[in-house]
Amino acid sequence: VLPLSGWVFPPLKMPVEKLIGLNFEEKQASRHLMLICTGEMEVAMDLVRLAADKKQRPLKIMVGSTFPADQTANHSFSILKRIILCMEQGVVLVLKDLDSIYGSLFDMLNMSYMTVHNRLYCRIALGDADSLACVHENFRCVVLADARRLGNLDAAFLNRFEKHRVDISDVTLGLPPEGVKRMKELCMCAAVPPKVRLWPRNQVDASDPRKLFVGYSDETVASLLKHLRSAHGAPATDCDEVDRAWTEMARFATTDAVLRAEVESKVDARFKELLKNASFERPGDLGQWLESTPAA
């Protein structure tokens, strides 16, 4: 007789990006997705975007806000109408911070569909009335949730989804650790703090990449490298990869920090030049950006 230990198998580790892609393939056979983020939610968005691109599926992202005008019934009604349109078109829909409308999407999130003349329909609550919305067979919904706020969510809401935990390890999987380390060292070295004494200890502020690159976080470098590899393929050399990523990072650098990095940082002159050129070549205002962006 085989002992009990012989029936115990180690947990199977599968990349979250692959699990997302399998969910998209199974269509109505799988529940909608919830990605529980331990860090920045942009990491989860990138994984969904990569999976959707590989499956050649259109993607739509909707993000809520705390602005007073976005808390009104009219705004919620507008969001619901856009969601109904996405359901009919069969897109991959990503929802973030839209707690105020999840109750109206009870049947959709729970996949309580009805079939009429070989077409799927579900009920959507629009104010005091209900509306039947057509559901395309390829429609998938992905809800992003912050791991720190899971305790505030209803258990019934959580049970509707196929859930996966997303952290920085899901982004660095398959990336060369040397490239990630080199990029982080460059960002730290280039982030020269202003020479301002801090009260009361009379100390100079430490280097902080967040003061050089807008929106920088621990996941930024790895997420960028993964995105570039997906869009352009693996580079010929590690040096090419760092140059390409550094040029992209420069687009999010503040002007004063770029000038400090050029004069005072210990970064190689070549990287200083790349940082300055890429930073000052970007559009100076919204009008220039719209002119330089190709029409969709």
Side-chain angles (χ1 to χ4, degrees):
V1 178
L2 187 66
L4 181 61
S5 59
W7 295 98
V8 178
F9 299 96
L12 181 63
K13 178 63 176 176
M14 185 177 293
V16 173
E17 181 185 343
K18 185 175 182 179
L19 293 172
I20 296 173
L22 291 174
N23 182 275
F24 292 169
E25 288 180 355
E26 293 175 352
K27 299 181 179 180
Q28 304 303 321
S30 296
R31 291 173 177 261
H32 291 304
L33 278 171
M34 173 179 282
L35 300 182
I36 302 172
C37 309
T38 59
E40 298 292 335
M41 291 194 181
E42 285 73 13
V43 173
M45 288 187 182
D46 285 343
L47 292 176
V48 174
R49 187 179 293 108
L50 291 172
D53 289 343
K54 288 182 178 179
K55 304 301 178 183
Q56 297 182 344
R57 303 283 292 277
L59 179 70
K60 179 75 73 174
I61 300 175
M62 296 186 185
V63 181
S65 76
T66 57
F67 292 114
D70 292 344
Q71 306 301 314
T72 62
N74 288 337
H75 182 74
S76 297
F77 187 79
S78 175
I79 292 293
L80 287 172
K81 289 195 296 183
R82 292 167 58 191
I83 291 176
I84 291 175
L85 184 61
C86 291
M87 294 166 60
E88 294 175 350
Q89 295 175 341
V91 306
V92 175
L93 176 63
V94 180
L95 303 178
K96 175 179 177 290
D97 296 337
L98 288 170
D99 301 29
S100 60
I101 67 167
Y102 290 150
S104 300
L105 302 174
F106 178 87
D107 283 355
M108 184 273 279
L109 295 177
N110 210 33
M111 298 187 71
S112 297
Y113 302 151
M114 64 184 75
T115 304
V116 179
H117 299 301
N118 296 323
R119 301 187 68 179
L120 297 175
Y121 291 87
C122 79
R123 183 183 64 86
I124 302 294
L126 295 173
D128 297 333
D130 293 340
S131 174
L132 276 182
C134 182
V135 183
H136 194 284
E137 65 173 358
N138 289 334
F139 171 73
R140 303 303 297 166
C141 182
V142 182
V143 174
L144 303 185
D146 191 335
R148 296 166 294 185
R149 297 180 54 204
L150 283 184
N152 300 329
L153 300 178
D154 294 334
F157 177 73
L158 294 173
N159 288 336
R160 301 174 194 173
F161 301 94
E162 172 187 327
K163 295 172 284 292
H164 298 294
R165 180 176 176 271
V166 177
D167 56 25
I168 188 61
S169 64
D170 297 301
V171 182
T172 57
L173 193 65
L175 292 176
E178 297 79 10
V180 177
K181 180 181 179 181
R182 176 60 174 152
M183 278 297 302
K184 288 186 176 181
E185 291 175 349
L186 272 174
C187 293
M188 183 65 70
C189 188
V192 178
K195 293 183 177 180
V196 177
R197 297 292 177 177
L198 298 180
W199 186 87
R201 297 185 179 180
N202 199 33
Q203 294 178 345
V204 177
D205 194 7
S207 297
D208 187 351
R210 292 175 298 179
K211 296 180 180 179
L212 172 58
F213 302 106
V214 177
Y216 183 90
S217 67
D218 291 338
E219 291 91 351
T220 299
V221 170
S223 180
L224 175 61
L225 290 175
K226 192 174 186 69
H227 169 73
L228 291 175
R229 284 197 164 216
S230 175
H232 306 290
T237 64
D238 292 341
C239 184
D240 292 340
E241 182 168 50
V242 172
D243 287 353
R244 189 168 63 183
W246 185 248
T247 301
E248 289 295 323
M249 287 286 294
R251 303 180 190 277
F252 305 98
T254 60
T255 303
D256 59 330
V258 170
L259 295 176
R260 286 199 305 271
E262 182 182 11
V263 176
E264 301 178 12
S265 74
K266 298 180 181 179
V267 177
D268 294 343
R270 183 170 63 87
F271 289 111
K272 289 183 179 180
E273 192 68 19
L274 285 173
L275 178 65
K276 182 180 68 173
N277 292 340
S279 176
F280 289 104
E281 286 176 358
R282 63 191 177 193
D285 53 36
L286 179 59
Q288 294 180 9
W289 182 83
L290 292 174
E291 291 177 358
S292 63
T293 302

